[in-house]
Amino acid sequence: MILHDFTYEWDGKSATGKKPISWWPGCYRVRIIRLGREDDPVKYLIPIAVVFKPVKTTAVMNTSLENYIHYFAGEISRKYQLDPAKVLWINLGDPVRVALLKPERKLSDETFYSISWRPVRPNEMAAIEPDLTDF
């Protein structure tokens, strides 16, 4: 079930003193999907998938999130009240890859994550494909 569908864009600047996703501009189409149904007796360990793909509005707006996924995940998670560690972050690139964020010990007020990228599994792709028909 699609929870949210939007385009997320950043300019790479910081007027508020808060660090942007990256210091280069970027634009991504994002869809937040609930895996399973509300009345489903199966409970998912990772119940949400955030699927994203780049939207190249200009040549400079093609920043890859490969190295910035923790900042991107933090922003999306804050805005939509998600736990970044309980989300499947799926980059619809070539090839389709999945990022998993594992929280590490807090060293400060900010939570740091260890990030692992891997290819998408067939069952994961099958679970989200019905919600990607017009994506």
PDB file of all heavy atoms in Angstrom, residues 4 6 29-35 46-53 69 72-73 76-77 80 82-84 86-92 97-99 128 132 135:
ATOM      1  N   HIS A   4       2.962   7.383   0.856  1.00  0.00           N
ATOM      2  CA  HIS A   4       3.332   8.724   0.383  1.00  0.00           C
ATOM      3  C   HIS A   4       4.027   8.597  -0.959  1.00  0.00           C
ATOM      4  O   HIS A   4       4.761   7.639  -1.204  1.00  0.00           O
ATOM      5  CB  HIS A   4       4.277   9.421   1.366  1.00  0.00           C
ATOM      6  CG  HIS A   4       3.718   9.567   2.737  1.00  0.00           C
ATOM      7  ND1 HIS A   4       2.780  10.513   3.065  1.00  0.00           N
ATOM      8  CD2 HIS A   4       3.957   8.877   3.873  1.00  0.00           C
ATOM      9  CE1 HIS A   4       2.469  10.399   4.348  1.00  0.00           C
ATOM     10  NE2 HIS A   4       3.173   9.406   4.862  1.00  0.00           N
ATOM     11  N   PHE A   6       6.088  11.390  -3.565  1.00  0.00           N
ATOM     12  CA  PHE A   6       6.506  12.783  -3.697  1.00  0.00           C
ATOM     13  C   PHE A   6       7.868  12.863  -4.374  1.00  0.00           C
ATOM     14  O   PHE A   6       8.539  11.869  -4.581  1.00  0.00           O
ATOM     15  CB  PHE A   6       6.554  13.472  -2.324  1.00  0.00           C
ATOM     16  CG  PHE A   6       7.451  12.772  -1.332  1.00  0.00           C
ATOM     17  CD1 PHE A   6       8.764  13.164  -1.161  1.00  0.00           C
ATOM     18  CD2 PHE A   6       6.969  11.715  -0.567  1.00  0.00           C
ATOM     19  CE1 PHE A   6       9.585  12.516  -0.244  1.00  0.00           C
ATOM     20  CE2 PHE A   6       7.777  11.069   0.349  1.00  0.00           C
ATOM     21  CZ  PHE A   6       9.091  11.469   0.510  1.00  0.00           C
ATOM     22  N   ARG A  29      12.645  11.037  -6.921  1.00  0.00           N
ATOM     23  CA  ARG A  29      11.243  10.632  -6.794  1.00  0.00           C
ATOM     24  C   ARG A  29      11.215   9.594  -5.684  1.00  0.00           C
ATOM     25  O   ARG A  29      12.004   8.655  -5.679  1.00  0.00           O
ATOM     26  CB  ARG A  29      10.755  10.052  -8.113  1.00  0.00           C
ATOM     27  CG  ARG A  29       9.365   9.458  -8.092  1.00  0.00           C
ATOM     28  CD  ARG A  29       8.299  10.518  -8.360  1.00  0.00           C
ATOM     29  NE  ARG A  29       6.975   9.949  -8.181  1.00  0.00           N
ATOM     30  CZ  ARG A  29       6.273   9.351  -9.119  1.00  0.00           C
ATOM     31  NH1 ARG A  29       6.773   9.219 -10.324  1.00  0.00           N
ATOM     32  NH2 ARG A  29       5.071   8.888  -8.854  1.00  0.00           N
ATOM     33  N   VAL A  30      10.304   9.736  -4.729  1.00  0.00           N
ATOM     34  CA  VAL A  30      10.262   8.875  -3.554  1.00  0.00           C
ATOM     35  C   VAL A  30       8.841   8.339  -3.373  1.00  0.00           C
ATOM     36  O   VAL A  30       7.869   9.091  -3.522  1.00  0.00           O
ATOM     37  CB  VAL A  30      10.687   9.649  -2.282  1.00  0.00           C
ATOM     38  CG1 VAL A  30      10.658   8.749  -1.062  1.00  0.00           C
ATOM     39  CG2 VAL A  30      12.055  10.280  -2.456  1.00  0.00           C
ATOM     40  N   ARG A  31       8.770   7.072  -3.047  1.00  0.00           N
ATOM     41  CA  ARG A  31       7.489   6.453  -2.723  1.00  0.00           C
ATOM     42  C   ARG A  31       7.673   5.622  -1.459  1.00  0.00           C
ATOM     43  O   ARG A  31       8.556   4.785  -1.391  1.00  0.00           O
ATOM     44  CB  ARG A  31       7.002   5.587  -3.869  1.00  0.00           C
ATOM     45  CG  ARG A  31       5.604   5.058  -3.654  1.00  0.00           C
ATOM     46  CD  ARG A  31       5.019   4.456  -4.897  1.00  0.00           C
ATOM     47  NE  ARG A  31       4.548   5.520  -5.778  1.00  0.00           N
ATOM     48  CZ  ARG A  31       4.056   5.296  -6.989  1.00  0.00           C
ATOM     49  NH1 ARG A  31       3.969   4.076  -7.463  1.00  0.00           N
ATOM     50  NH2 ARG A  31       3.655   6.300  -7.735  1.00  0.00           N
ATOM     51  N   ILE A  32       6.837   5.872  -0.454  1.00  0.00           N
ATOM     52  CA  ILE A  32       6.876   5.119   0.793  1.00  0.00           C
ATOM     53  C   ILE A  32       5.746   4.091   0.731  1.00  0.00           C
ATOM     54  O   ILE A  32       4.581   4.451   0.535  1.00  0.00           O
ATOM     55  CB  ILE A  32       6.724   6.044   2.011  1.00  0.00           C
ATOM     56  CG1 ILE A  32       7.856   7.087   2.012  1.00  0.00           C
ATOM     57  CG2 ILE A  32       6.724   5.236   3.299  1.00  0.00           C
ATOM     58  CD1 ILE A  32       7.742   8.137   3.098  1.00  0.00           C
ATOM     59  N   ILE A  33       6.125   2.825   0.900  1.00  0.00           N
ATOM     60  CA  ILE A  33       5.195   1.714   0.725  1.00  0.00           C
ATOM     61  C   ILE A  33       5.121   0.890   2.008  1.00  0.00           C
ATOM     62  O   ILE A  33       6.166   0.542   2.565  1.00  0.00           O
ATOM     63  CB  ILE A  33       5.650   0.809  -0.445  1.00  0.00           C
ATOM     64  CG1 ILE A  33       5.727   1.620  -1.735  1.00  0.00           C
ATOM     65  CG2 ILE A  33       4.741  -0.396  -0.593  1.00  0.00           C
ATOM     66  CD1 ILE A  33       6.400   0.885  -2.878  1.00  0.00           C
ATOM     67  N   ARG A  34       3.918   0.573   2.435  1.00  0.00           N
ATOM     68  CA  ARG A  34       3.729  -0.365   3.552  1.00  0.00           C
ATOM     69  C   ARG A  34       3.705  -1.766   2.960  1.00  0.00           C
ATOM     70  O   ARG A  34       2.932  -2.050   2.046  1.00  0.00           O
ATOM     71  CB  ARG A  34       2.439  -0.102   4.307  1.00  0.00           C
ATOM     72  CG  ARG A  34       2.211  -1.180   5.390  1.00  0.00           C
ATOM     73  CD  ARG A  34       0.946  -1.014   6.176  1.00  0.00           C
ATOM     74  NE  ARG A  34       1.073   0.184   7.002  1.00  0.00           N
ATOM     75  CZ  ARG A  34       0.123   1.103   7.099  1.00  0.00           C
ATOM     76  NH1 ARG A  34      -0.986   0.985   6.441  1.00  0.00           N
ATOM     77  NH2 ARG A  34       0.308   2.156   7.864  1.00  0.00           N
ATOM     78  N   LEU A  35       4.553  -2.642   3.484  1.00  0.00           N
ATOM     79  CA  LEU A  35       4.588  -4.023   3.026  1.00  0.00           C
ATOM     80  C   LEU A  35       3.498  -4.792   3.756  1.00  0.00           C
ATOM     81  O   LEU A  35       3.422  -4.759   4.982  1.00  0.00           O
ATOM     82  CB  LEU A  35       5.958  -4.639   3.307  1.00  0.00           C
ATOM     83  CG  LEU A  35       7.134  -3.901   2.657  1.00  0.00           C
ATOM     84  CD1 LEU A  35       8.449  -4.497   3.118  1.00  0.00           C
ATOM     85  CD2 LEU A  35       7.032  -3.920   1.149  1.00  0.00           C
ATOM     86  N   ILE A  46      10.603  -5.755   8.826  1.00  0.00           N
ATOM     87  CA  ILE A  46      10.830  -4.460   8.197  1.00  0.00           C
ATOM     88  C   ILE A  46       9.539  -4.133   7.447  1.00  0.00           C
ATOM     89  O   ILE A  46       9.346  -4.568   6.320  1.00  0.00           O
ATOM     90  CB  ILE A  46      12.059  -4.490   7.268  1.00  0.00           C
ATOM     91  CG1 ILE A  46      13.304  -4.833   8.085  1.00  0.00           C
ATOM     92  CG2 ILE A  46      12.220  -3.171   6.549  1.00  0.00           C
ATOM     93  CD1 ILE A  46      14.569  -4.946   7.284  1.00  0.00           C
ATOM     94  N   PRO A  47       8.624  -3.372   8.066  1.00  0.00           N
ATOM     95  CA  PRO A  47       7.287  -3.198   7.510  1.00  0.00           C
ATOM     96  C   PRO A  47       7.139  -2.123   6.434  1.00  0.00           C
ATOM     97  O   PRO A  47       6.111  -2.025   5.792  1.00  0.00           O
ATOM     98  CB  PRO A  47       6.459  -2.827   8.739  1.00  0.00           C
ATOM     99  CG  PRO A  47       7.431  -2.145   9.642  1.00  0.00           C
ATOM    100  CD  PRO A  47       8.749  -2.828   9.407  1.00  0.00           C
ATOM    101  N   ILE A  48       8.171  -1.311   6.237  1.00  0.00           N
ATOM    102  CA  ILE A  48       8.082  -0.182   5.308  1.00  0.00           C
ATOM    103  C   ILE A  48       9.215  -0.261   4.292  1.00  0.00           C
ATOM    104  O   ILE A  48      10.345  -0.602   4.630  1.00  0.00           O
ATOM    105  CB  ILE A  48       8.187   1.166   6.061  1.00  0.00           C
ATOM    106  CG1 ILE A  48       7.096   1.308   7.116  1.00  0.00           C
ATOM    107  CG2 ILE A  48       8.182   2.354   5.109  1.00  0.00           C
ATOM    108  CD1 ILE A  48       5.709   1.501   6.574  1.00  0.00           C
ATOM    109  N   ALA A  49       8.895   0.088   3.041  1.00  0.00           N
ATOM    110  CA  ALA A  49       9.919   0.221   2.000  1.00  0.00           C
ATOM    111  C   ALA A  49       9.866   1.653   1.486  1.00  0.00           C
ATOM    112  O   ALA A  49       8.787   2.183   1.220  1.00  0.00           O
ATOM    113  CB  ALA A  49       9.679  -0.766   0.868  1.00  0.00           C
ATOM    114  N   VAL A  50      11.028   2.269   1.392  1.00  0.00           N
ATOM    115  CA  VAL A  50      11.130   3.588   0.767  1.00  0.00           C
ATOM    116  C   VAL A  50      11.871   3.362  -0.546  1.00  0.00           C
ATOM    117  O   VAL A  50      13.038   2.982  -0.561  1.00  0.00           O
ATOM    118  CB  VAL A  50      11.876   4.604   1.654  1.00  0.00           C
ATOM    119  CG1 VAL A  50      12.080   5.911   0.909  1.00  0.00           C
ATOM    120  CG2 VAL A  50      11.113   4.843   2.940  1.00  0.00           C
ATOM    121  N   VAL A  51      11.150   3.579  -1.630  1.00  0.00           N
ATOM    122  CA  VAL A  51      11.691   3.364  -2.965  1.00  0.00           C
ATOM    123  C   VAL A  51      12.004   4.732  -3.552  1.00  0.00           C
ATOM    124  O   VAL A  51      11.188   5.656  -3.474  1.00  0.00           O
ATOM    125  CB  VAL A  51      10.669   2.620  -3.848  1.00  0.00           C
ATOM    126  CG1 VAL A  51      11.226   2.352  -5.228  1.00  0.00           C
ATOM    127  CG2 VAL A  51      10.228   1.330  -3.183  1.00  0.00           C
ATOM    128  N   PHE A  52      13.185   4.868  -4.127  1.00  0.00           N
ATOM    129  CA  PHE A  52      13.562   6.162  -4.686  1.00  0.00           C
ATOM    130  C   PHE A  52      14.372   5.975  -5.965  1.00  0.00           C
ATOM    131  O   PHE A  52      15.033   4.966  -6.157  1.00  0.00           O
ATOM    132  CB  PHE A  52      14.343   7.005  -3.672  1.00  0.00           C
ATOM    133  CG  PHE A  52      15.524   6.310  -3.059  1.00  0.00           C
ATOM    134  CD1 PHE A  52      16.799   6.468  -3.582  1.00  0.00           C
ATOM    135  CD2 PHE A  52      15.372   5.496  -1.946  1.00  0.00           C
ATOM    136  CE1 PHE A  52      17.881   5.834  -3.017  1.00  0.00           C
ATOM    137  CE2 PHE A  52      16.445   4.859  -1.364  1.00  0.00           C
ATOM    138  CZ  PHE A  52      17.714   5.026  -1.909  1.00  0.00           C
ATOM    139  N   LYS A  53      14.252   6.963  -6.848  1.00  0.00           N
ATOM    140  CA  LYS A  53      15.030   6.976  -8.084  1.00  0.00           C
ATOM    141  C   LYS A  53      15.337   8.422  -8.437  1.00  0.00           C
ATOM    142  O   LYS A  53      14.561   9.334  -8.117  1.00  0.00           O
ATOM    143  CB  LYS A  53      14.291   6.279  -9.221  1.00  0.00           C
ATOM    144  CG  LYS A  53      13.071   6.991  -9.724  1.00  0.00           C
ATOM    145  CD  LYS A  53      12.431   6.250 -10.868  1.00  0.00           C
ATOM    146  CE  LYS A  53      11.215   7.002 -11.391  1.00  0.00           C
ATOM    147  NZ  LYS A  53      10.611   6.339 -12.523  1.00  0.00           N
ATOM    148  N   ILE A  69      23.106   8.155   1.903  1.00  0.00           N
ATOM    149  CA  ILE A  69      21.832   7.533   2.266  1.00  0.00           C
ATOM    150  C   ILE A  69      21.468   7.807   3.727  1.00  0.00           C
ATOM    151  O   ILE A  69      20.291   7.982   4.051  1.00  0.00           O
ATOM    152  CB  ILE A  69      21.825   6.015   1.952  1.00  0.00           C
ATOM    153  CG1 ILE A  69      20.432   5.419   2.149  1.00  0.00           C
ATOM    154  CG2 ILE A  69      22.840   5.274   2.782  1.00  0.00           C
ATOM    155  CD1 ILE A  69      19.400   5.912   1.198  1.00  0.00           C
ATOM    156  N   PHE A  72      19.855  11.227   3.826  1.00  0.00           N
ATOM    157  CA  PHE A  72      18.564  11.128   3.152  1.00  0.00           C
ATOM    158  C   PHE A  72      17.566  10.378   4.034  1.00  0.00           C
ATOM    159  O   PHE A  72      16.443  10.824   4.246  1.00  0.00           O
ATOM    160  CB  PHE A  72      18.745  10.425   1.806  1.00  0.00           C
ATOM    161  CG  PHE A  72      17.488  10.243   1.024  1.00  0.00           C
ATOM    162  CD1 PHE A  72      16.894  11.307   0.371  1.00  0.00           C
ATOM    163  CD2 PHE A  72      16.889   8.997   0.922  1.00  0.00           C
ATOM    164  CE1 PHE A  72      15.736  11.138  -0.360  1.00  0.00           C
ATOM    165  CE2 PHE A  72      15.733   8.814   0.201  1.00  0.00           C
ATOM    166  CZ  PHE A  72      15.152   9.890  -0.452  1.00  0.00           C
ATOM    167  N   ALA A  73      17.975   9.242   4.564  1.00  0.00           N
ATOM    168  CA  ALA A  73      17.112   8.428   5.427  1.00  0.00           C
ATOM    169  C   ALA A  73      16.718   9.209   6.678  1.00  0.00           C
ATOM    170  O   ALA A  73      15.564   9.131   7.134  1.00  0.00           O
ATOM    171  CB  ALA A  73      17.814   7.131   5.806  1.00  0.00           C
ATOM    172  N   ILE A  76      13.974  11.869   5.598  1.00  0.00           N
ATOM    173  CA  ILE A  76      12.700  11.226   5.278  1.00  0.00           C
ATOM    174  C   ILE A  76      12.079  10.643   6.551  1.00  0.00           C
ATOM    175  O   ILE A  76      10.881  10.756   6.787  1.00  0.00           O
ATOM    176  CB  ILE A  76      12.890  10.140   4.204  1.00  0.00           C
ATOM    177  CG1 ILE A  76      13.430  10.747   2.904  1.00  0.00           C
ATOM    178  CG2 ILE A  76      11.591   9.375   3.958  1.00  0.00           C
ATOM    179  CD1 ILE A  76      12.560  11.770   2.243  1.00  0.00           C
ATOM    180  N   SER A  77      12.902  10.032   7.382  1.00  0.00           N
ATOM    181  CA  SER A  77      12.407   9.422   8.618  1.00  0.00           C
ATOM    182  C   SER A  77      11.835  10.463   9.571  1.00  0.00           C
ATOM    183  O   SER A  77      10.803  10.237  10.208  1.00  0.00           O
ATOM    184  CB  SER A  77      13.523   8.641   9.308  1.00  0.00           C
ATOM    185  OG  SER A  77      13.929   7.574   8.497  1.00  0.00           O
ATOM    186  N   TYR A  80       8.409  11.794   8.080  1.00  0.00           N
ATOM    187  CA  TYR A  80       7.293  10.844   8.009  1.00  0.00           C
ATOM    188  C   TYR A  80       7.249   9.881   9.195  1.00  0.00           C
ATOM    189  O   TYR A  80       6.600   8.854   9.123  1.00  0.00           O
ATOM    190  CB  TYR A  80       7.342  10.078   6.687  1.00  0.00           C
ATOM    191  CG  TYR A  80       7.122  11.006   5.521  1.00  0.00           C
ATOM    192  CD1 TYR A  80       8.192  11.504   4.789  1.00  0.00           C
ATOM    193  CD2 TYR A  80       5.845  11.435   5.185  1.00  0.00           C
ATOM    194  CE1 TYR A  80       7.996  12.375   3.734  1.00  0.00           C
ATOM    195  CE2 TYR A  80       5.635  12.310   4.141  1.00  0.00           C
ATOM    196  CZ  TYR A  80       6.711  12.772   3.415  1.00  0.00           C
ATOM    197  OH  TYR A  80       6.507  13.647   2.390  1.00  0.00           O
ATOM    198  N   LEU A  82       9.379   7.679  10.633  1.00  0.00           N
ATOM    199  CA  LEU A  82       9.835   6.317  10.360  1.00  0.00           C
ATOM    200  C   LEU A  82      11.063   6.008  11.198  1.00  0.00           C
ATOM    201  O   LEU A  82      11.816   6.909  11.559  1.00  0.00           O
ATOM    202  CB  LEU A  82      10.202   6.160   8.876  1.00  0.00           C
ATOM    203  CG  LEU A  82       9.117   6.462   7.854  1.00  0.00           C
ATOM    204  CD1 LEU A  82       9.705   6.409   6.449  1.00  0.00           C
ATOM    205  CD2 LEU A  82       7.964   5.504   7.980  1.00  0.00           C
ATOM    206  N   ASP A  83      11.269   4.748  11.496  1.00  0.00           N
ATOM    207  CA  ASP A  83      12.497   4.286  12.141  1.00  0.00           C
ATOM    208  C   ASP A  83      13.429   3.841  11.026  1.00  0.00           C
ATOM    209  O   ASP A  83      13.142   2.844  10.357  1.00  0.00           O
ATOM    210  CB  ASP A  83      12.184   3.127  13.091  1.00  0.00           C
ATOM    211  CG  ASP A  83      13.425   2.579  13.765  1.00  0.00           C
ATOM    212  OD1 ASP A  83      14.542   3.065  13.494  1.00  0.00           O
ATOM    213  OD2 ASP A  83      13.277   1.634  14.568  1.00  0.00           O
ATOM    214  N   PRO A  84      14.534   4.550  10.766  1.00  0.00           N
ATOM    215  CA  PRO A  84      15.405   4.212   9.636  1.00  0.00           C
ATOM    216  C   PRO A  84      15.900   2.768   9.635  1.00  0.00           C
ATOM    217  O   PRO A  84      16.147   2.195   8.589  1.00  0.00           O
ATOM    218  CB  PRO A  84      16.586   5.177   9.779  1.00  0.00           C
ATOM    219  CG  PRO A  84      16.114   6.260  10.650  1.00  0.00           C
ATOM    220  CD  PRO A  84      15.038   5.691  11.521  1.00  0.00           C
ATOM    221  N   LYS A  86      14.152   0.207  10.513  1.00  0.00           N
ATOM    222  CA  LYS A  86      13.039  -0.694  10.197  1.00  0.00           C
ATOM    223  C   LYS A  86      12.451  -0.381   8.827  1.00  0.00           C
ATOM    224  O   LYS A  86      11.267  -0.615   8.579  1.00  0.00           O
ATOM    225  CB  LYS A  86      11.967  -0.593  11.257  1.00  0.00           C
ATOM    226  CG  LYS A  86      12.441  -1.010  12.624  1.00  0.00           C
ATOM    227  CD  LYS A  86      11.495  -1.993  13.213  1.00  0.00           C
ATOM    228  CE  LYS A  86      11.977  -2.385  14.587  1.00  0.00           C
ATOM    229  NZ  LYS A  86      12.313  -3.750  14.662  1.00  0.00           N
ATOM    230  N   VAL A  87      13.289   0.156   7.943  1.00  0.00           N
ATOM    231  CA  VAL A  87      12.867   0.512   6.594  1.00  0.00           C
ATOM    232  C   VAL A  87      13.810  -0.140   5.596  1.00  0.00           C
ATOM    233  O   VAL A  87      15.019  -0.180   5.809  1.00  0.00           O
ATOM    234  CB  VAL A  87      12.868   2.047   6.402  1.00  0.00           C
ATOM    235  CG1 VAL A  87      12.595   2.431   4.966  1.00  0.00           C
ATOM    236  CG2 VAL A  87      11.860   2.706   7.322  1.00  0.00           C
ATOM    237  N   LEU A  88      13.246  -0.625   4.512  1.00  0.00           N
ATOM    238  CA  LEU A  88      14.014  -1.147   3.399  1.00  0.00           C
ATOM    239  C   LEU A  88      14.195   0.014   2.426  1.00  0.00           C
ATOM    240  O   LEU A  88      13.219   0.498   1.847  1.00  0.00           O
ATOM    241  CB  LEU A  88      13.211  -2.279   2.747  1.00  0.00           C
ATOM    242  CG  LEU A  88      13.928  -3.332   1.966  1.00  0.00           C
ATOM    243  CD1 LEU A  88      14.931  -4.069   2.843  1.00  0.00           C
ATOM    244  CD2 LEU A  88      12.923  -4.314   1.396  1.00  0.00           C
ATOM    245  N   TRP A  89      15.412   0.510   2.279  1.00  0.00           N
ATOM    246  CA  TRP A  89      15.703   1.653   1.417  1.00  0.00           C
ATOM    247  C   TRP A  89      16.106   1.105   0.056  1.00  0.00           C
ATOM    248  O   TRP A  89      17.190   0.545  -0.081  1.00  0.00           O
ATOM    249  CB  TRP A  89      16.809   2.512   2.025  1.00  0.00           C
ATOM    250  CG  TRP A  89      16.436   3.028   3.378  1.00  0.00           C
ATOM    251  CD1 TRP A  89      16.696   2.450   4.588  1.00  0.00           C
ATOM    252  CD2 TRP A  89      15.696   4.209   3.659  1.00  0.00           C
ATOM    253  NE1 TRP A  89      16.172   3.200   5.601  1.00  0.00           N
ATOM    254  CE2 TRP A  89      15.547   4.288   5.064  1.00  0.00           C
ATOM    255  CE3 TRP A  89      15.141   5.212   2.869  1.00  0.00           C
ATOM    256  CZ2 TRP A  89      14.875   5.326   5.690  1.00  0.00           C
ATOM    257  CZ3 TRP A  89      14.470   6.253   3.502  1.00  0.00           C
ATOM    258  CH2 TRP A  89      14.341   6.299   4.889  1.00  0.00           C
ATOM    259  N   ILE A  90      15.260   1.256  -0.951  1.00  0.00           N
ATOM    260  CA  ILE A  90      15.456   0.639  -2.259  1.00  0.00           C
ATOM    261  C   ILE A  90      15.742   1.707  -3.300  1.00  0.00           C
ATOM    262  O   ILE A  90      14.895   2.557  -3.584  1.00  0.00           O
ATOM    263  CB  ILE A  90      14.233  -0.197  -2.668  1.00  0.00           C
ATOM    264  CG1 ILE A  90      13.952  -1.264  -1.609  1.00  0.00           C
ATOM    265  CG2 ILE A  90      14.446  -0.831  -4.040  1.00  0.00           C
ATOM    266  CD1 ILE A  90      12.683  -2.049  -1.837  1.00  0.00           C
ATOM    267  N   ASN A  91      16.933   1.648  -3.880  1.00  0.00           N
ATOM    268  CA  ASN A  91      17.350   2.571  -4.932  1.00  0.00           C
ATOM    269  C   ASN A  91      17.075   1.909  -6.276  1.00  0.00           C
ATOM    270  O   ASN A  91      17.692   0.911  -6.623  1.00  0.00           O
ATOM    271  CB  ASN A  91      18.835   2.906  -4.791  1.00  0.00           C
ATOM    272  CG  ASN A  91      19.285   3.958  -5.766  1.00  0.00           C
ATOM    273  OD1 ASN A  91      18.509   4.474  -6.553  1.00  0.00           O
ATOM    274  ND2 ASN A  91      20.560   4.281  -5.716  1.00  0.00           N
ATOM    275  N   LEU A  92      16.137   2.476  -7.035  1.00  0.00           N
ATOM    276  CA  LEU A  92      15.776   1.922  -8.341  1.00  0.00           C
ATOM    277  C   LEU A  92      16.746   2.403  -9.407  1.00  0.00           C
ATOM    278  O   LEU A  92      16.374   3.096 -10.342  1.00  0.00           O
ATOM    279  CB  LEU A  92      14.344   2.304  -8.720  1.00  0.00           C
ATOM    280  CG  LEU A  92      13.237   1.644  -7.943  1.00  0.00           C
ATOM    281  CD1 LEU A  92      11.884   2.106  -8.451  1.00  0.00           C
ATOM    282  CD2 LEU A  92      13.332   0.140  -8.009  1.00  0.00           C
ATOM    283  N   ARG A  97      19.325  -1.657  -5.941  1.00  0.00           N
ATOM    284  CA  ARG A  97      20.075  -2.004  -4.720  1.00  0.00           C
ATOM    285  C   ARG A  97      19.284  -1.597  -3.487  1.00  0.00           C
ATOM    286  O   ARG A  97      18.477  -0.671  -3.531  1.00  0.00           O
ATOM    287  CB  ARG A  97      21.440  -1.334  -4.736  1.00  0.00           C
ATOM    288  CG  ARG A  97      22.320  -1.910  -5.833  1.00  0.00           C
ATOM    289  CD  ARG A  97      23.663  -1.238  -5.999  1.00  0.00           C
ATOM    290  NE  ARG A  97      24.365  -0.858  -4.810  1.00  0.00           N
ATOM    291  CZ  ARG A  97      25.297  -1.582  -4.192  1.00  0.00           C
ATOM    292  NH1 ARG A  97      25.618  -2.752  -4.657  1.00  0.00           N
ATOM    293  NH2 ARG A  97      25.917  -1.127  -3.128  1.00  0.00           N
ATOM    294  N   VAL A  98      19.556  -2.300  -2.398  1.00  0.00           N
ATOM    295  CA  VAL A  98      18.877  -2.077  -1.128  1.00  0.00           C
ATOM    296  C   VAL A  98      19.904  -1.654  -0.089  1.00  0.00           C
ATOM    297  O   VAL A  98      20.976  -2.246   0.004  1.00  0.00           O
ATOM    298  CB  VAL A  98      18.165  -3.367  -0.661  1.00  0.00           C
ATOM    299  CG1 VAL A  98      17.600  -3.202   0.729  1.00  0.00           C
ATOM    300  CG2 VAL A  98      17.087  -3.759  -1.638  1.00  0.00           C
ATOM    301  N   ALA A  99      19.562  -0.639   0.677  1.00  0.00           N
ATOM    302  CA  ALA A  99      20.410  -0.211   1.789  1.00  0.00           C
ATOM    303  C   ALA A  99      19.714  -0.574   3.091  1.00  0.00           C
ATOM    304  O   ALA A  99      18.521  -0.358   3.245  1.00  0.00           O
ATOM    305  CB  ALA A  99      20.658   1.289   1.736  1.00  0.00           C
ATOM    306  N   ILE A 128       7.076  -5.189  -3.782  1.00  0.00           N
ATOM    307  CA  ILE A 128       6.849  -3.774  -4.094  1.00  0.00           C
ATOM    308  C   ILE A 128       6.392  -3.532  -5.532  1.00  0.00           C
ATOM    309  O   ILE A 128       5.884  -2.465  -5.833  1.00  0.00           O
ATOM    310  CB  ILE A 128       8.100  -2.933  -3.804  1.00  0.00           C
ATOM    311  CG1 ILE A 128       9.264  -3.341  -4.700  1.00  0.00           C
ATOM    312  CG2 ILE A 128       8.465  -2.977  -2.345  1.00  0.00           C
ATOM    313  CD1 ILE A 128      10.417  -2.375  -4.713  1.00  0.00           C
ATOM    314  N   LEU A 132       4.580  -0.102  -8.008  1.00  0.00           N
ATOM    315  CA  LEU A 132       5.501   0.650  -8.859  1.00  0.00           C
ATOM    316  C   LEU A 132       5.029   0.779 -10.298  1.00  0.00           C
ATOM    317  O   LEU A 132       5.807   1.171 -11.158  1.00  0.00           O
ATOM    318  CB  LEU A 132       6.880  -0.014  -8.851  1.00  0.00           C
ATOM    319  CG  LEU A 132       7.605  -0.063  -7.505  1.00  0.00           C
ATOM    320  CD1 LEU A 132       8.950  -0.760  -7.661  1.00  0.00           C
ATOM    321  CD2 LEU A 132       7.789   1.318  -6.931  1.00  0.00           C
ATOM    322  N   PHE A 135       5.390   4.395 -11.425  1.00  0.00           N
ATOM    323  CA  PHE A 135       6.534   5.071 -10.818  1.00  0.00           C
ATOM    324  C   PHE A 135       7.593   5.245 -11.887  1.00  0.00           C
ATOM    325  O   PHE A 135       8.483   5.896 -11.906  1.00  0.00           O
ATOM    326  CB  PHE A 135       7.046   4.227  -9.636  1.00  0.00           C
ATOM    327  CG  PHE A 135       8.012   4.962  -8.724  1.00  0.00           C
ATOM    328  CD1 PHE A 135       7.608   6.023  -7.961  1.00  0.00           C
ATOM    329  CD2 PHE A 135       9.319   4.562  -8.638  1.00  0.00           C
ATOM    330  CE1 PHE A 135       8.489   6.676  -7.119  1.00  0.00           C
ATOM    331  CE2 PHE A 135      10.214   5.200  -7.793  1.00  0.00           C
ATOM    332  CZ  PHE A 135       9.799   6.260  -7.035  1.00  0.00           C
TER     333      PHE A 135
END
